[in-house]
């Protein structure tokens, strides 16, 4: 897993490394050298290249100043615009530049928007070293002016550690922020790199190992190799029930598509058997659309499942290893009754769609109902459904919001959206980097329900099934979008792309090296 840190966790790791005997100035030089290496890659070499560095007064500015020195030594011609006189380790590196200016060819200038504009017009690369990951709030005065000037320039932009204006703690962008082409994260990712909207400012993210030991982190970012490792193994001699049977309670008159998509997602994700319980009057729809599933017509009330439908599944549930409920269920007393009875089923439970609305109604009177279940539950809300469950789906700090709700409910909670977040009740959070805006269309969430519940039925721990399922679902959306375009992407395309998604993660290896790419632009 790729660790994702808060600014406080990064400061603590940095301080511990310095206390262990590595001077802060040495760590700054290592970070600067890594940024210089990436800069040279971006420019295709140093000969004849002009670089403009915009440096603040803190450690981030020191990284930029030292980076300019390394680029000059390599043969480039850097100009550093200083917004203020730096202090501490940054001042040490500024003095190195000043005392070797003739040899290093670094030009130092006080900040001037007009002078920067003239230099940027001729530059092959702009380096943003204004603000670090500990910054929060809105940039002001010359810093805001510099951010606007960087964004107005035509050249490619390399951000040191994080684009200036992005909060490293929650990914917030209160005002303007640098739009980087490449960001070099020093030692580890920060929350601002991977959570929206900050993630959209980072471009490609390279992580540079500078020798800081990471002992604590709040969030994990799964890479494809970890997704593959989380999947239940395939046995050479098995049968459909051993692979894992899944029961699904979904659909209603007018919303049969949700049940279809859930079943297709589950089948393509490898469930040994899908038992689809639907209102009896809708059975004909499923006979031709989900041929691989067992369809069970169940008692209904005006086209919606009657609560006693759960009991009607009877001994079929005894052979299943997970139960999914909610997609297309409809809202009203019937839905509350179905979900309430589903909570009593002795199986891991995945709740989505209208089932989340019904669960929210139940939680008002039975706040501990999920904690009291002897089997785990997974909830997969979008921002609005997150609110039904008592969370704040519009919270500025989405990581804190999803962690809090999972802990309060005693369940795995997956907050959908770009850079979706999965939280377990113990406080662990996983961030998903796959997916694209084409998935913002009706029905894709139902496919996700099928994928996650399928992995649970196959024996994956519920948290692993959720973050791995989310990655595979998003990757399938990326594959489908590459084939047909994001604008034309429909939910039905996602199950068809799941086989290719599984194939791709099966081929994945973990990136290694001092500088490694861990995320592509979040477009």
């Amino acid at each position: 897993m790729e660790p994702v840190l808060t600014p406080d966790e990064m400061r603590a790791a940095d301080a511990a490394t310095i206390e262990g005997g590595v001077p802060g100035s040495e760590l700054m030089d290592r970070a600067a050298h890594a940024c210089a290496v990436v800069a040279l890659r971006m420019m295709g070499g140093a000969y004849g290249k002009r670089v403009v560095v915009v440096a603040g007064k803190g450690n981030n500015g020191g990284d930029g100043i030292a980076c300019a020195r390394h680029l000059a030594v390599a043969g480039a011609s850097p100009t550093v615009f200083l917004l203020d006189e730096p202090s501490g380790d940054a001042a040490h590196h500024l003095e190195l530049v000043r005392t070797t200016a003739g040899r290093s060819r670094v030009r130092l200038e006080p900040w001037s928007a007009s002078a920067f504009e003239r230099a940027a017009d001729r530059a092959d690369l702009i380096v943003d070293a204004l603000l670090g990951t500990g910054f929060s709030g809105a940039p002001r005065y010359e810093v805001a002016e510099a951010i606007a000037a960087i964004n107005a320039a035509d050249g490619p932009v390399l951000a040191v550690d994080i684009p200036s204006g992005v909060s490293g703690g929650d990914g917030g962008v209160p005002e303007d922020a640098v739009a980087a082409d490449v960001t070099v994260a020093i030692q580890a990712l920060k929350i601002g790199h991977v959570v929206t909207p900050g993630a959209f400012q980072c471009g490609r993210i390279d992580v540079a190992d500078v020798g800081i030991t990471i002992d604590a982190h709040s969030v994990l970012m799964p890479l494809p190799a970890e997704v593959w490792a989380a999947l239940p193994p395939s046995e050479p001699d098995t049968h459909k029930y051993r692979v894992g049977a899944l029961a699904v309670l979904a659909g209603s008159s007018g919303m049969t598509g949700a049940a279809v998509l859930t079943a297709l997602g589950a089948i393509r994700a490898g469930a040994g058997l899908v038992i689809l319980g639907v209102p009896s009057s809708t059975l004909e729809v499923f006979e031709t659309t989900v041929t691989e599933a067992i369809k069970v017509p169940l008692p209904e009330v005006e086209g919606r499942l009657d609560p006693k439908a759960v009991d009607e599944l009877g001994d079929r549930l005894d052979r299943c290893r997970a139960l999914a409920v909610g997609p297309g269920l409809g809202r009203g007393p019937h839905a509350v009754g179905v979900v309430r009875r589903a909570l009593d089923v002795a199986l891991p439970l995945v709740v989505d769609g209208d089932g989340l609305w019904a669960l929210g109604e139940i939680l008002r009177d039975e706040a501990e109902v999920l904690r009291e279940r002897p089997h785990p539950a997974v909830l997969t809300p979008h921002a609005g459904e997150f609110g039904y469950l008592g969370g704040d789906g519009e919270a500025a700090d989405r990581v804190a919001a999803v962690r809090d709700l999972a802990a309060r409910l005693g369940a795995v909670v997956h907050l959908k959206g770009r850079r979706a977040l999965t939280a377990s009740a113990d406080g662990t959070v996983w961030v998903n980097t796959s997916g694209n805006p084409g998935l913002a269309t009706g029905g894709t969430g139902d496919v996700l329900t099928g994928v996650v519940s399928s992995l649970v039925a196959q024996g994956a721990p519920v948290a692993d099934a959720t973050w791995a399922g989310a990655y595979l679902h998003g990757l399938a959306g990326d594959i489908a979008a590459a084939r047909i375009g994001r604008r034309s992407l429909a939910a039905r395309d996602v199950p068809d792309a799941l086989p290719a998604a599984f194939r791709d993660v099966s081929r994945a290896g973990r990136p290694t090296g001092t500088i490694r790419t861990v995320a592509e632009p979040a477009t």
Side-chain angles (χ1 to χ4, degrees), residues 230-263:
L231 300 180
S234 299
E235 300 178 18
D237 183 15
T238 190
H239 54 76
K240 57 181 178 286
Y241 286 105
R242 185 178 295 170
V243 169
L246 169 69
V248 178
L249 288 166
S252 60
S253 178
M255 290 191 288
T256 54
V260 169
L261 291 165
T262 300

Side-chain angles (χ1 to χ4, degrees), residues 197-453:
F200 295 137
Q201 304 297 124
C202 294
R204 191 188 81 218
I205 300 175
D206 291 347
V207 173
D209 185 347
V210 299
I212 299 172
T213 301
I214 304 299
D215 292 322
H217 47 80
S218 293
V219 180
L220 294 166
M221 189 184 81
L223 299 175
E226 280 109 22
V227 174
W228 181 249
L231 300 180
S234 299
E235 300 178 18
D237 183 15
T238 190
H239 54 76
K240 57 181 178 286
Y241 286 105
R242 185 178 295 170
V243 169
L246 169 69
V248 178
L249 288 166
S252 60
S253 178
M255 290 191 288
T256 54
V260 169
L261 291 165
T262 300
L264 290 175
I267 291 164
R268 285 298 195 186
L273 184 66
V274 174
I275 298 172
L276 187 57
V278 297
S280 57
S281 63
T282 66
L283 180 64
E284 187 176 348
V285 172
F286 300 101
E287 290 288 13
T288 56
T289 54
V290 197
T291 55
E292 297 90 346
I294 292 177
K295 280 75 65 176
V296 182
L298 296 172
E300 64 172 83
V301 178
E302 297 180 349
R304 298 181 174 189
L305 285 174
D306 188 285
K308 63 185 178 184
V310 181
D311 304 323
E312 288 291 321
L313 277 178
D315 59 1
R316 292 181 186 275
L317 286 173
D318 295 338
R319 303 195 71 179
C320 291
R321 292 166 63 179
L323 170 63
V325 62
L329 201 62
R331 297 183 184 181
H334 73 286
V336 174
V338 169
V339 173
R340 187 63 195 81
R341 295 200 185 190
L343 288 167
D344 293 331
V345 174
L347 289 172
L349 181 66
V350 180
V351 186
D352 186 36
D354 294 325
L356 293 168
W357 174 86
L359 179 60
E361 297 294 302
I362 295 167
L363 287 169
R364 292 179 184 178
D365 298 321
E366 302 179 67
E368 299 295 315
V369 66
L370 293 173
R371 288 188 173 282
E372 293 168 354
R373 292 188 81 240
H375 300 278
V378 177
L379 317 178
T380 57
H382 55 56
E385 294 162 343
F386 196 78
Y388 303 154
L389 301 171
D392 181 2
E394 302 300 328
D397 191 338
R398 295 173 69 240
V399 171
V402 72
R403 179 184 284 124
D404 175 70
L405 186 61
R408 284 195 286 116
L409 297 182
V412 173
V413 178
H414 178 77
L415 177 56
K416 292 186 285 196
R418 290 303 310 281
R419 296 297 167 93
L421 301 170
T422 300
S424 61
D426 68 3
T428 305
V429 176
W430 296 264
V431 60
N432 182 54
T433 55
S434 65
N436 63 82
L439 289 168
T441 186
T444 56
D446 303 315
V447 179
L448 174 64
T449 303
V451 174
V452 171
S453 54

Side-chain angles (χ1 to χ4, degrees), residues 103-151:
R103 287 178 289 136
S104 66
R105 298 189 303 170
V106 178
R107 182 178 178 183
L108 298 172
E109 298 278 356
W111 169 255
S112 162
S114 58
F116 168 83
E117 183 179 351
R118 290 191 295 272
D121 282 345
R122 303 187 300 272
D124 298 286
L125 181 69
I126 298 168
V127 177
D128 163 31
L130 277 165
L131 301 171
T133 58
F135 173 81
S136 61
R140 292 287 184 261
Y141 311 116
E142 286 188 331
V143 174
E145 181 182 66
I147 289 172
I150 291 170
N151 285 338

